[in-house]
Amino acid sequence: MERSLVLVKPDGVQRGLIGEVIIRLERRGLMLVAAKFLNVSQELAETHYAIHKGKPFYDTLIKYITSAPVMAMVWGGPNAVAAIRQTMGATRPTEAAPGSVRHDFALEIGRNLTHASDTVENSEKEVALWFTPSELINWKRETDRWIFEQN
Ligand code: DAT
Ligand code: MG
């Protein structure tokens, strides 16, 4: 099953939007695979955002993600990476599709509420960075056959 790391970043937690993010992913039919609430260490933040090192927004991005707790989750399902990116919306909230989380709840790129893996390759790396194998729950839902064409 394809999986994606999803973070409700500090602004989403502070604004009480953890439930809003979860309800949208649940309603879409995606499956929760893992979840934990944590303060992000400097080291984890730097590894997670290593691809952005050297960019003008890098330092403020690291400060933002380490500034307060985040809700880290793994969600799975068919085409989970693309589906979740779509549900979250484009990086810049003013370019995010109406109905997406970033459109509906955010205004600024530096306060865009969530993170979701951008490719299947990166999703596997991110899942392994944030969670141990034993934290990933492999389970079946009674409704799977009504949501997944193949299961
Ligand atoms: P995404 O979070 O949609 O995967 P990204 O990986 O390109 O976006 O960037 C990571 C985060 O960095 C993004 O959520 C917000 C911030 N960011 C990206 N581009 C930025 C920019 N041009 N100015 C300020 N912050 C930016
Ligand atoms: Mg990204």
Side-chain angles (χ1 to χ4, degrees):
M1 187 173 63
E2 194 172 304
R3 299 181 302 188
S4 172
L5 176 74
V6 176
L7 305 177
V8 181
K9 298 196 286 196
D11 47 342
V13 173
Q14 296 291 327
R15 292 176 58 193
L17 294 172
I18 295 173
E20 181 68 37
V21 172
I22 289 176
I23 209 163
R24 286 168 179 236
L25 297 174
E26 265 193 319
R27 280 185 185 159
R28 188 135 192 213
L30 292 150
M31 286 183 75
L32 184 62
V33 176
K36 62 181 161 192
F37 187 56
L38 73 160
N39 282 308
V40 180
S41 68
Q42 182 76 15
E43 190 191 356
L44 176 58
E46 287 181 7
T47 309
H48 176 73
Y49 280 131
I51 193 168
H52 297 302
K53 197 171 166 76
K55 294 184 186 169
F57 57 85
Y58 177 76
D59 288 346
T60 52
L61 180 60
I62 298 294
K63 270 200 196 112
Y64 161 48
I65 198 82
T66 57
S67 63
V70 308
M71 185 69 180
M73 297 176 279
V74 177
W75 286 82
N79 303 307
V81 168
I84 294 170
R85 291 283 293 187
Q86 184 185 41
T87 291
M88 298 309 158
T91 306
R92 198 175 287 281
T94 50
E95 291 167 7
S100 65
V101 170
R102 285 165 167 174
H103 169 280
D104 290 356
F105 297 98
L107 291 169
E108 297 218 273
I109 195 167
R111 295 287 183 272
N112 63 3
L113 300 171
T114 62
H115 167 85
S117 307
D118 61 352
T119 62
V120 174
E121 193 189 346
N122 286 339
S123 74
E124 287 306 316
K125 284 188 202 151
E126 290 180 355
V127 167
L129 175 66
W130 286 77
F131 289 89
T132 62
S134 67
E135 289 174 326
L136 304 170
I137 309 301
N138 191 5
W139 61 295
K140 278 260 170 219
R141 275 184 314 203
E142 298 302 321
T143 51
D144 280 355
R145 69 196 179 100
W146 302 110
I147 301 166
F148 304 156
E149 196 174 352
Q150 261 136 20
N151 59 88

